[in-house]
Each structure stands twice: as structure tokens, then as C-alpha cells.
Amino acid sequence: MARMTMIEAIRDAMDVKMGMDEDVVVFGEDVGYFGGVFRCTQGLQEKYGRHRCFDAPINESAIVGAGIGMATYGKRPCIEIQFADYVLPAYDQIVSEAARIRHRSNGQFTAPIVIRMPTGGGIFGGQTHSQSPEAIFTHVSGLKTLIPSNPYDAKGMLIAAIEDDDPVIFLEPKRLYNGPFDGHHENAVTSWAKHEKGEVPEGHYTVPIGKANVVETGMDVTILAYGTMVYVAQAAARENNIDAEIIDLRSLLPLDLDTIVNSVQKTGRCVVLHEATLTSGFGAELTALVQQHCFKHLEAPVLRVAGWDTPYPHAQEWHYFPGPKRVGKALKRVVEAQ
Amino acid sequence: MARMTMIEAIRDAMDVKMGMDEDVVVFGEDVGYFGGVFRCTQGLQEKYGRHRCFDAPINESAIVGAGIGMATYGKRPCIEIQFADYVLPAYDQIVSEAARIRHRSNGQFTAPIVIRMPTGGGIFGGQTHSQSPEAIFTHVSGLKTLIPSNPYDAKGMLIAAIEDDDPVIFLEPKRLYNGPFDGHHENAVTSWAKHEKGEVPEGHYTVPIGKANVVETGMDVTILAYGTMVYVAQAAARENNIDAEIIDLRSLLPLDLDTIVNSVQKTGRCVVLHEATLTSGFGAELTALVQQHCFKHLEAPVLRVAGWDTPYPHAQEWHYFPGPKRVGKALKRVVEAQ
Amino acid sequence: MSDDKMPEATGPLSISIPEPPTRPGDAPDFSYIEVPKAGAVDCPPVDTKPEDMRDLAYSIVRVLSRKGEAVGPWAEFLGDDLNDESLLRGLKDMMKTRVFDARMLTAQRQGKTSFYTQCLGEEAIATGFQRMMRKGDMNFPTYRQQGLLIADGCSMFDMICQIYSNEKDNLDGHQLPCLYSFKDHGFFSISGNLGTQFVQAVGWAMGSAISGDDKISAAWIGDGSTAETDFHSGMLFASVYQPPVVLNIVNNQWAISSFNGLAGGRNAPFAARAHGYGFPSLRVDGNDYLAVLAASKWATERARRNLGPTLIEWVTYRVAAHSTSDDPSAYRPKEESDAWPLGDPLERLKLHLIKKGAWSEERHTQAMAEIESEVIAVQKEAEKYGTLNRGKGPDPEKMFEGVYKEMPDHLVRQRLEFEA
Amino acid sequence: MSDDKMPEATGPLSISIPEPPTRPGDAPDFSYIEVPKAGAVDCPPVDTKPEDMRDLAYSIVRVLSRKGEAVGPWAEFLGDDLNDESLLRGLKDMMKTRVFDARMLTAQRQGKTSFYTQCLGEEAIATGFQRMMRKGDMNFPTYRQQGLLIADGCSMFDMICQIYSNEKDNLDGHQLPCLYSFKDHGFFSISGNLGTQFVQAVGWAMGSAISGDDKISAAWIGDGSTAETDFHSGMLFASVYQPPVVLNIVNNQWAISSFNGLAGGRNAPFAARAHGYGFPSLRVDGNDYLAVLAASKWATERARRNLGPTLIEWVTYRVAAHSTSDDPSAYRPKEESDAWPLGDPLERLKLHLIKKGAWSEERHTQAMAEIESEVIAVQKEAEKYGTLNRGKGPDPEKMFEGVYKEMPDHLVRQRLEFEA
Ligand SMILES: Cc1ncc(C[n+]2csc(CCOP(=O)(O)OP(=O)(O)O)c2C)c(N)n1
Ligand SMILES: Cc1ncc(C[n+]2csc(CCOP(=O)(O)OP(=O)(O)O)c2C)c(N)n1
Ligand SMILES: [Mg+2]
Ligand SMILES: [Mg+2]
């Protein structure tokens, strides 16, 4: 087993799949010769040739649209969108086309395409390098939406995504690329080399789509989190001495409802976290499901802690980010509620 | 007061505003000479000239993008997207631009633009003439999202929308254009001429944005609905002898939370309806809010009845549509829950 | 720059709102279309550099003369493909397409389906183009390319069942009528969203070329839909990666109520769009079956020889209403289609074949009768399995199928709830 | 069509992946750019029909000769605008822009801001263009058009405070550094999303024209970003409605790591894109301040006289890194900028002015020193109000302001929660 950053793990996943399956092609803006602005595809062009890993024009809609065409031909495109904020021009191709082709052609044509993109804030990227668009994908039938929180999962989930026969949105929390991040931006970041989830097996393995990961077991409250917020949840629970059960959802759609329901039925309390703006965020769906399936068990309302309903501001980044302090407050409110 | 269909009321709203304010311009596909495929703009070009009401190329993204430009110049574009299903190519312009310009320019530039579009199913339009995309807009800070359910509201809300200084998504439930529709597609439709909400005052009036309408008062359960589902709610309650309080939300964002909370605190039960697919639909947000603000009052979990998580099928349209039967079942479950 | 002395302001500005030359009540006017003589346009070798053949975007490739003769370099380019057997097959493909359309239009009026789109007057384009496609190649058509299916010998029974959304509908009722999907006939699932497939066709061709395959693809778009952003996306990716794709614009002058000037088509021919992307384009008489064959051969040959993409603007006229939901008399002169300068594709090919002695009015009448009986028989057979809202139709639960390859839990739960 | 005899399949296909002629380690090679002599290109009257001036897209308008003389018809077209005073002002605008960039680059390295984008080597374009804009006109710039602001006399203090996101930031910290908004200087709020504003500029001009106003707008886009779909949207709406807009493509050869061949720019000049939409275009030496003035005058005059849109491709080279997050030595030869055939815009104008006797090396050195002191002084002043993460910065609660005109209840509640 090797220690890898999340970037290396993601690259390794593509490397493994490109080696196994010559239908896997990787493309996107700056991903070819240069290896991507976050270096996730570094070396792949050299290793697999310019027909397997190449640069694309700056047109996200065309990147996805052409990818869909390739997929219906029989390729398995694994596409990079440079920042999740830039996926919106491709939204029509993703929703009206990738997600619908199997159903509308009754299975004649399918679009097994993976659309990777760095998501979330924390790098002073301002409103156009920080957004978390998961909720606009989880609303779309026909798509799967994944978001790993560590190198091990990132590799295993990306391999699973590339092997999946349906279109997959693969969100990469960019703040985690180089190390787990607990929301205390004033502290130095620990690197993945020092984290057990930085241990990444060589070669092929998968982390199955649709399975959550119980990161911490606990009795006081269930925290539903994903991506960067998993570490914020841990920090907030620790700092407030709360015995929280923390679930890293990993797969938002399909969702591992059983794991969620079992946990909340046990703890009787639930807090839902995400970095995306609150209103109509994916936390709303989680909350709706929890109250429906755990109604009798709930001792307090499910609380959501999320990004404010504003654009992600540049200067006030850390006031916007739902850090351990805000999460801690919500945990206390929920745990102390009678 | 005149009796009007919803189409006539919408047209009248634009007519009133175009007459009052020469900055109001109306454009979109087929809206000029022809008056729109649903005839919502009929006569406006003749009355106000080709510079005030005109056809646009078939490019929804450009229609919105050019509209944003005009709005930042000082015009008040009221744009038609031919079907809500076709707004997705414009999603980037709406989210990254219209919704953000005020904030990112700190108020220097604003985009007071209204984007009207027929929404919802029930006309055998198949998957690309039936969708309800409200949830992808309610997640976006900077936008307002409205959906009227009758001619009176349609006119008053559209005038309010055109006068609003922020971008407004204006969803028109196309199944209601010619008459209220309770989901019993096998029955003949009553026309607006026979409905009190078909009475539409002449000239200028507004229905304020952000205010819900309690359509029926009741004690057993609160039904949150909007658009076509308001009539389905009424039918389902009536047919199941349930004393429901039915709230027509009208404005999804901003939301009239007070009216919702007051009602659910009174009834202790709540069912949420929409035609859009269930998962991550706007019903999730409503459910999350209700359980948070009415936790102690709730005697049963909030239930959602919505479109299935599939594309809107052509042949199985009425199996897909959340009609009175499905709504009735949910009402009974919620009312009977102990 | 605020140095107020410098540039001078001028009077009030205004925008221009394009209008078609005529509206209902006016006499039709097609003077905006310059029709060159048949045979007048050069046929360059297929490996000609794009910059050496820009003039082709500004004229119209035509083969059939007024008198019904096949003339000029494009006729020569067709060579052996000009044999009678082949052309008779083309004539019958067009006849069948037209008869099929007429029957389905009536069926819609009778409530047997919710929606139908004819291709009346445009039959030559799709039926001719398909003759140059091979098995395994892929078209990305719009709702007006049923001719591709007919020419490929697709079962009309299957087509009608789809239109009727009946129990034999190959799409199980999922999709709107006419938005076919027939993979075996190289016919991609049609989207209800305009334009989206233009770039997908390019991507498909890229997929084939990346795989070292010999399959090519064809994109299809209407004049009105060239306005969509995906048009640019397709053109750009075709330019950058030079995949084996033919990009077809069917310029039938009208979108729904808006004419092609609203897509920019009166400021420059659509064919000229290719110049900005640096690949060749042809502008072709789409009502001339021979010109269609020739241009299709030229462009597909370029693709097969790995010479890259070609844009073709097919000049034609939408004689029919936009769809069964449309009444064109509201926005254009009723007589416009009669005044259309490029005539009727079926009549023109018929005249040619008669001129050549390969066909006659009698045989034509007889063939027409045969085709009509054939279509009627197939239609009857299809109706045994129901029409929209009649018969048992596709299984309702089928709506849950095909959302994903394997049904995820939440959909399984929803299907259970549905069954309950 | 599945008649297997007809079209013949050929061998395996492949796609082409465009590559720049050279990579790190190679000797730079600009042989792909044909540079005509200064003065060689015609200057047609501004009301020339687009079809009569297509050749201008395939050459390069240049005014300054190697020797620093202003020659040819475009110099004549400038007429009175060629006076020394005006050109000296231009020189100083460019110098100030360059000095400002250099200081801000250093400031970013010092952690005073998170991000900066220089326009090194491209200064002539924005500073020259702005000379032809009037008060009330509107630019829709990208992050590389700071020259528009400098040339318009925008306060550098305000610019720096925005870059620093400090307490005097006119955008209250909402926006990324360099994504300025200065309405009073006809400078639209820059989006972080590429391309989106190209069509907005067209819409703004439509708004002006619909209102019968005399204001014009200018759209700006990079060569790489012409690939975005909004580029087509802007071109199309400009073609259809003929509003008073100038559409500027700054072709600086590179996007981030990808060269302009990936935007289709090696198959045809970007200027040729206008031909498909039927409006005029110019291709201009963007490192020649006089050519910039002349082409800007030509295009803005067309707009002001209601003659419609003009596309200008400015040929230049991005000497700087893409941004402070980029290191170009990873993807292009380090020496490439020295080999750039169009030289340095500042040096070329300086040479011209010295040749004319209107300037000297001494005056230049002195002016440089003055400008440097000025920028340093302003920078110091700005730093009194803090830099990123230093000083109190914009009020945190300001992030809730400006989402809507009036704050809706849910945001009021969130702000209360934030304050708690
Ligand atoms: C994205 C999108 N916008 C709008 C429509 C509605 N619509 C359907 S067909 C049509 C006109 C298309 O005209 P054209 O491209 O010329 O094709 P033709 O019908 O003439 O073959 C319109 C506006 C749609 N289907 N999809
Ligand atoms: C929609 C979108 N996609 C991608 C990016 C990331 N990005 C920022 S600048 C850039 C390159 C732009 O190149 P070009 O248009 O040539 O402008 P230049 O930087 O050369 O001035 C890219 C890819 C973005 N900002 N927005
Ligand atoms: Mg058309
Ligand atoms: Mg560039």
C-alpha cells in the first residue's frame, strides 16, 4: 500500500482503469500535456497517448456533449470540469441528455460517462471557484452523484464510477486534495501521509456506489456529512465532547438510507451538514427522509448547518464556511433539546 | 372586472406594464408576430411595436444572456422560454449571471429580468414538454421563484415580478392555462369563466411576492401545494372528506414561512405536494422547514407526494402525475397516523 | 474614454428586427434566393483545402435541370451511383415517406397519437443521404428525418407502434411520438431538446476514430436550431479534432413561426459558418435527389478517408405545418410553398426518370397505389396493438425501467408504492 | 443505408489532437503567423458591405513600421487622432498599466492578495480601445482589460483596494481580486465565468438601441474563451439585431496551458468567424498602438452610425503567466515571448514618438520613474486600509448585502444567526 494524496489517488484510479480498458478516455480543459490545473491527470497523456488523454476547448457544454456522443459509441469518457462552478453551461447536456438517453431510448443507447470536478471552498477562490452544486444533480433522475472524503474512497469510488453503466457526477472536495481539513483554517493542514485513509492499495479495487461509511459511532446524535464537512463534523463533536455518530454519505444518489435510518433510530437526533447554500440544498432531502423514516425516534428537530444563502464571498470566506464553531452550536442545540 | 383565462391574464399583465413603462420589453421564441405558441403575447407586437415585443433566435442561453445585458442597461425584459424544459441551456446565465450580478458588483449592476415559462405536465407532452424545474431555481440565492395557480394571481404576480428589481423565475402551470384542473383527466375541464379566480381586475394591481394564499382553512392537516397541485389537493381532500387547510404557496422563494408554520402548528399534520420528481424537489425544503419549526406540534411525519423519480413518460403520463388518488392516500395516512 | 472631444456621438440608435419578406395576405416572394443553373457549380476533389473552396458556400449545388436532365460536374462525380435501379429506389423511398406522413397526419387528427411531424417537401434529403451511409454508421437526426429510416428499410410497423405509444412501442411509451430510436438502423434516439445532438454526433465520430474504427456519423439540425449553442459546440469540436462526421443543416426556411433570418440565415448562408472554423462546406439544392446523393457522397467520402468534417446546408422548404400543433397560415402566405423556386423533390426525380425512359406516369400511379396499400396494411396491423389511450398500451410500470441500468432502492420503493 | 455495395469503407480512422508547434525545450516557432508589412492592408469605408471586405480577416492591420513610422491607409484614417499629445497619453497609459501590473504581481507574492492577472505585452489593446469609447458607453471586459480602467482614469487606489479585499474595497469583499466593477468608468462587473458576458454586451447594446440612446458597448473575450457557447450567442444576436456593439477577441495565443489551436484558431483566423454571421471583421496587430486606435475608431464609428456590429481579432501574445496560479514554463518554451514577431507595444510606440521628435529616452526614463512613484504612493495609501487577511477588511456581515435589493426574511434570519 502506498500513501497518496487525494490527487494522486484520483490519478491512480484513472491510470488503473485506462490500463485495464482501452475504451476509457480522459479529457477536459488543460488535462492533456499539462496534466490539469490540480494535476489530477498528470502523466496520463504521456503514458496512454494523445488519443486517450487530451486537452479540450474551453466549452463545458461541448465537453460533456461530445463525451455523451463518445459514450453512446462505446467509449467510457472520464471528463474533468476545471471547477464545479463551471459545470453549469453543461447542465442541459447532463440533465436532458446524459441522464435521459437510456430511458428515452429504452436502453438502446446509454451514456456511461464520469464527470469529475473540484468542488467546495476554502481556497480563497471567491464565488466562482468555491461552489458545491450537488443538489442540482441529486434532483435529476438518471444520474448518480458521488463525493469522496479521502484518498482511499476517492480511488475506489472513481474506479466504481468509471465502471458504472450510468452517468456519474463525481465531486472532488478540493480543500481535501492535499490533506484532511477540519475547518480550522488558522491551523496548519496535516497531510494525507499522516492519515490512515491516505493509505491506498495499488491496482484495482472499488468502493461500492450507494454505501455510506460510518466514520465514528456514537450515541448522542447522528451527523450526516460528506466531503470536507466530514472532518468539520469530527472537529465539532470532539471540541464539544459530543458522542456523535458521523456518517460520511459518499454516495448522495443512490443514497444509503438504511445506514442513515438505523443510526438516527439509535441516536434519536440528527444534524445535517453541507457547504452548499442552505435552501433547497441536499440537506433538505436528507432532513425530509430522516423525519419521515425516524419520526417516532426523533427527540429534536433535525437541524441543518450549511453555507449561507449568498454567493460564496471572497474576503468573508471563513465567515461563510460552516466551520466547527457553527456546527458545534447546532450539535449542542440538538443534543440538549428536550 | 373581466373573466379571463390564465393566458389572457398573463397577457394583460404584460400589456399593463408595457403601457406604463416603456422600458418593459417582451421577447422570446415565436412571441412576436405570432404571439407565442400558447398565445400569451398575442397582440403585443402590434400594439407596442417590433422594438418592444419581438421574436428571438432559438437559443435560450442567448435570450437570457441578452436579456441580462438589456436589464443592466436599464430595460426590464420580460422573457418567454417556450417550455420550462428548455430553460436548462440558460441555467448558467441565470445562476452565474442574473442571480449574481447585484452581489458581485455590490449593487452597481442589477438584472431585473422576468423569465416566464410554461411548466408541468398533463398535456401529453412527454419528457420534454412536462417538467417542473422549480427546485433548481430555489437553490439559487439571488433569484425569486413564483408560480401562480389562477388568472387573478397570475396577473398580479406577473406585474409584481416585472416591477421587482431582482431576477424572477415565473413558472406558468400550463395545465391551468384554460381552466382549473383537479387531476381527473378523464373529466371535462371547467373553464376559468366559471371560477371566481377567473375574475381579473382591469389595469394595474399586484399580488405581493412572498405571500402565500390559504385557499381552504381546515383543522385536520395542512397541505402545501402550488400550481396545478392546488386543485389536486382540493379534490383529494374533498373526495376523502378531510378537513384540510390548503396553502397555495405562490412564491417559493422568498417563502411565506409564517403562514406555513402557523397552519401546521394548528393542524399538527402536513402533506407536501408537487409535480416535479421527488428527490431533492422543493418539497424536501418545505418538509425540512416544517419539521424544524413545528417539531413539537407534529403528530405525524410530513409526507411528500410528487412525481416519481423518472423522466415524465409520454404514454404513462397519468400514472406519473400525482393525482387525487395518490394524494388522497397520503392524506389519509397522515391524518390517521397516531 | 471620457475625453469628450474625441469620438463623436451620433443620433439615436435602433436595432433591426428581421422580418420575412411576406406575411399572410401578401404575395409570396423568394427573390432573396439566388438559384444558379443546374450544373453551374464546380465539384472540387474531396481533399480540396477548405480555403480553396469557400465559393461553394455562396452558391447552390444542383444536378437536375428544369428539363429533368442530370447535368454538370456533380452528376459526373456520382458516376455509377446514377444508375436507374438506384434512382428508382430513391423515388420509392420518397413516395413511401410521403404516404407514411400523410397517413400519420390523419391518424393524429383521429386521436390515435398526440403529435406528428411531417417532412413534406423535404423527402429527398434524408432518403438520399441515407444511401451513402453504411451499416454501423450513426445518424443523430431531428424529428424531421423519418426519411433516413424509410430509406434504411426500417419496419414501418415499428415506427407506427412508437407513434401510437401502443403495447408494441419499442420505447415502451417513454418517448414522444416521432422521437424514434432505432439503433439497428443507425438512427440515434431523438431528443426533444433542439440542437443537443449536433455535438453528440461529433463526439460519436470522435469515439469511432479514437477506436480506430471505420464508422462515421452524421449530425442533423434545422435552420432555426443552428441558433442553439450546441451548434457552435459541434462545429468547434469538428474543427479541432477533425473527426469523421457530416454536419447537416436542413434549411427549410422556417422554424415554427420564425423564418431563418432569425437564425442569421439572411445575412450569410448557413454554409458559410464553416469558414470561421476552417473546414469545407457545401450548399446544396435539397429538393434535387441527385444533388443530395452527390453531396452526401462527397461529404461521407471525406469522412471515410479521414479528411475530416464537412458542413452541408440543404436548401429546401417546409411545405407542411411545423407539427400537428401548428397552423402556418397564421404567419406565412398560404401560397408560399407553391412559389418555392426549387420545386418538389418527388416530381423532379420522377420527371428525370421518365425523361430517361426508366419510369412512366402509369408505373408511377401504380407504384403509388401499391405503396398506399402497403402503408395502410401495416397501419392496420399496428392498430391491433392499440393507439394512444386505446388498448392496453405499454405497461405502466415500464416507466420505472431504464432510468438506471439497475433500479436503485429508492425507485424500487416508488414502484412498490405505485403498485399499491 | 446498409446496401453494402455502395459506399466503400476505408481503413481505420483517427482524430487529430492539435498541438502547439513547440513545447518547453524546443526553439520557439511562430512561422504559423504571416505578418504583412505595415500599411499593406486596405482601410475600407466604415459602411462597406461585409461581403466586400472578407479579405481583412485573413491579413493583419498594421500601422507602425519596423522603423517606427506610421504608414498606410489606417494611419490616414486616424487623421487628427494621430496627434502627439494623444499618442503620449497612450504611451503613459501603457506604462502605468505595466507598472501597476508589476507592483500587484509582487503584492500577490507577498500575500497581500490571493490572485492577480497581468496583461503584460497586451497593454496597447485595452488602453487604445478605451480612447474611442465615450462616457456612458459600456465595456464588458475580462480579467485582462485593466488597461480600460487605467486609460479611463479610474482611481488606482480603488483598484488596489479591490485587489486587496480591504475595508475600502468598493465591492465589500464579495468578488475575487481583479474582477472589478466600475460602472462610472463604463466597466462592467467582470464574471469569473468565461464567455458569459459576450452576449450580455450585445444585449446591453440592444437595450441602448431599443431606447433610442446613443450609447454603444464593447464585448471582450479571450481566444481560448471563443470556444464557449456564449461566443456563438453573442455573434448570433449581433448578426440578427445589428446592435451598436464592438466584439473584441484578444487572441494572445494561449488560454491557460492550451494554445489557440484548441479553440479552432489555427484552422481559420478568429476574425473569419464573423463571415458566417454576415457582419464585418478586422484582424489587427494588437501590439501596435496606432493600429489599435485605428481599428477601434473604425468599429466604434460603425456602431455609433448604427451600421451594426464589428468583430475585431486582436493579434497579440500573453507574455505573462496566465495568472499568479500559473507557471507557463511547464507548457511552452521560456523564450517564446522574445520570439514573438509583433514586438512589444510599449517599445514600438516609444520608438515612433522618439522618431517623431515628440519623446526621448531621457523623458521616458523620467516618466517611468514618475509613474512608479505614483503607483507606489497609491499602493501605500491603499495598504493603510489593509490587505487580504490583514486589517479589519470588509465587514463580514456585508456578505449578506446585495443578494437581493431588499433582504428577504430567510436571509435576515441567517444574518441574525451569523451575528449570534
Ligand atoms: C431547446 C429547445 N427550444 C425550443 C424548442 C421548441 N421547438 C421545437 S421545434 C422548434 C423549431 C425548430 O426549427 P428548425 O430548427 O428550423 O427545424 P424544422 O422544424 O424546420 O425542421 C422549436 C422552437 C425545443 N424543442 N427545444
Ligand atoms: C466557464 C469557465 N470555464 C473555465 C474557466 C477557467 N479558466 C479561467 S481563465 C481560462 C483560460 C482563458 O483563456 P483565454 O480566453 O484565451 O483568455 P486569456 O487568459 O488568454 O486572456 C480558463 C480555462 C473559467 N473561468 N470559466
Ligand atoms: Mg426549419
Ligand atoms: Mg488567450
Side-chain angles (χ1 to χ4, degrees), chain C residues 53-86:
Chain C
M53 53 171 288
R54 288 196 199 111
D55 52 327
L56 270 87
Y58 298 99
S59 191
I60 302 181
V61 171
R62 307 180 72 232
V63 170
L64 285 173
S65 73
R66 284 189 174 228
K67 295 188 197 137
E69 278 150 3
V71 295
W74 288 88
E76 276 165 43
F77 174 72
L78 271 175
D80 283 354
D81 292 327
L82 263 192
N83 65 73
D84 293 352
E85 191 193 346
S86 165

Side-chain angles (χ1 to χ4, degrees), chain A residues 55 73 97 103-104 143 165, chain C residues 174 189 191 213 241 404-405:
Chain A
D55 285 334
Y73 169 82
E97 300 295 323
H103 191 263
R104 78 165 195 246
L143 295 182
D165 287 324
Chain C
H174 290 182
S189 156
S191 178
D213 197 353
Y241 299 111
Y404 297 91
K405 185 172 185 198

Side-chain angles (χ1 to χ4, degrees), chain D residues 222-224 250 252-255:
Chain D
D223 53 313
V250 179
N252 63 6
Q253 314 302 314
W254 290 92

